[in-house]
């Protein structure tokens, strides 16, 4: 495990915040492109056909890394995920093939196809509800559909015991690293 870890490179942002772990091969590529600088090296050498160099342990990006937050994509699977694969009317749990989605306010009434108007439904409930509101159909939503919160595009999670010691000084920035 230690050997495997020592072929990986911790990438820091320009501000020395750990942002990801990459293979040493990738680190060398980024280095040759002038995108990173090496902050720490491992003790062991890497030998390629013609050159010998130290394996980079910690590198730092030389340009600003934008920590984008991504919206959760509006898709069938993500709707099911938000609703934990449960029909929001009867509460039955289903597999992908057992589920469909339902417009709470029917499309024919101007209901939009968006997070707050779409819920997971089993085919039975979907057929029963038809083009009616839940109230008209005498059906109750288990919970109000919401737009899922933003998810960070990247999280870095490293178990401390798997982190090479060369990374140690650079890991205190991110509490997730301590888990
Ligand atoms: Zn149902």
């Amino acid at each position: 495990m230690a050997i495997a870890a020592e072929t990986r490179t911790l990438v820091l942002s320009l501000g020395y915040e750990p942002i990801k772990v990459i293979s040493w091969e990738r680190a060398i590529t980024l280095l040759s492109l002038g995108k990173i600088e090496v902050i720490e090296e491992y003790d062991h050498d890497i030998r390629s056909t013609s050159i010998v160099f130290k394996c980079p342990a910690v590198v730092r990006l030389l340009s600003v890394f934008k920590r984008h937050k991504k919206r959760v994509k509006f898709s069938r699977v993500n709707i099911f995920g938000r609703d934990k694969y449960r029909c929001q009317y009867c509460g039955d749990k289903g597999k992908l093939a057992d589920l469909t989605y339902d417009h709470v306010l029917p499309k024919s009434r101007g209901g939009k196809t968006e997070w707050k108007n779409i819920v997971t439904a089993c085919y039975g409930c979907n057929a029963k509800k038809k083009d009616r509101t839940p109230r008209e159909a005498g059906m109750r939503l288990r919970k109000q559909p919401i737009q899922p919160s933003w998810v960070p595009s990247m999280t870095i999670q490293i178990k401390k015991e798997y982190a090479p010691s060369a990374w140690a000084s650079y890991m205190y920035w991110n509490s997730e690293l301590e888990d």
Side-chain angles (χ1 to χ4, degrees):
M1 187 58 91
I3 291 158
E6 299 221 329
T7 60
R8 292 181 305 153
T9 303
L10 179 67
V11 181
L12 306 179
S13 69
L14 195 60
Y16 291 90
E17 187 191 12
I19 47 178
K20 60 178 156 178
V21 176
I22 58 177
S23 65
W24 68 265
E25 291 96 332
R26 177 77 184 139
I28 297 301
T29 303
L30 291 173
L31 193 62
S32 68
L33 293 171
K35 298 199 167 179
I36 54 170
E37 64 173 358
V38 176
I39 304 280
E40 294 274 347
E41 291 172 334
Y42 292 118
D43 289 332
H44 59 90
D45 294 331
I46 286 174
R47 285 157 204 282
S48 89
T49 44
S50 54
I51 46 164
V52 178
F53 50 87
K54 296 279 185 202
C55 182
V58 181
V59 297
R60 175 179 170 237
L61 286 179
L62 294 173
S63 56
V64 174
F65 173 76
K66 293 194 195 76
R67 195 174 275 268
H68 287 297
K69 291 212 167 183
K70 258 192 213 157
R71 261 183 194 285
V72 182
K73 202 173 151 223
F74 183 63
S75 69
R76 226 168 91 100
V77 166
N78 286 344
I79 290 160
F80 297 165
R82 178 197 62 186
D83 297 338
K84 302 189 167 59
Y85 285 77
R86 282 186 191 280
C87 170
Q88 293 299 292
Y89 296 105
C90 68
D92 279 359
K93 201 172 165 120
K95 295 203 179 76
L96 201 62
D98 307 323
L99 298 169
T100 182
Y101 57 87
D102 176 67
H103 286 79
V104 178
L105 177 67
K107 242 175 144 174
S108 58
R109 310 273 189 87
K112 293 202 176 111
T113 306
E114 59 181 24
W115 284 108
K116 290 180 174 176
N117 194 48
I118 298 284
V119 293
T120 303
C122 68
Y123 283 96
C125 289
N126 190 240
K128 187 175 147 203
K129 181 169 170 281
K130 297 184 188 129
D131 272 357
R132 297 178 293 177
T133 65
R135 181 193 284 264
E136 289 165 356
M139 296 164 77
R140 245 185 67 169
L141 268 180
R142 298 173 71 84
K143 60 177 171 7
Q144 227 26 63
I146 53 151
Q147 157 106 47
S149 51
W150 299 69
V151 285
S153 58
M154 189 178 294
T155 56
I156 177 165
Q157 288 182 324
I158 305 160
K159 291 235 189 253
K160 214 171 185 177
E161 60 265 37
Y162 299 144
S165 54
W167 296 3
S169 335
Y170 303 95
M171 288 180 43
Y172 65 90
W173 291 95
N174 192 331
S175 62
E176 283 163 4
L177 296 172
E178 302 294 326
D179 289 346

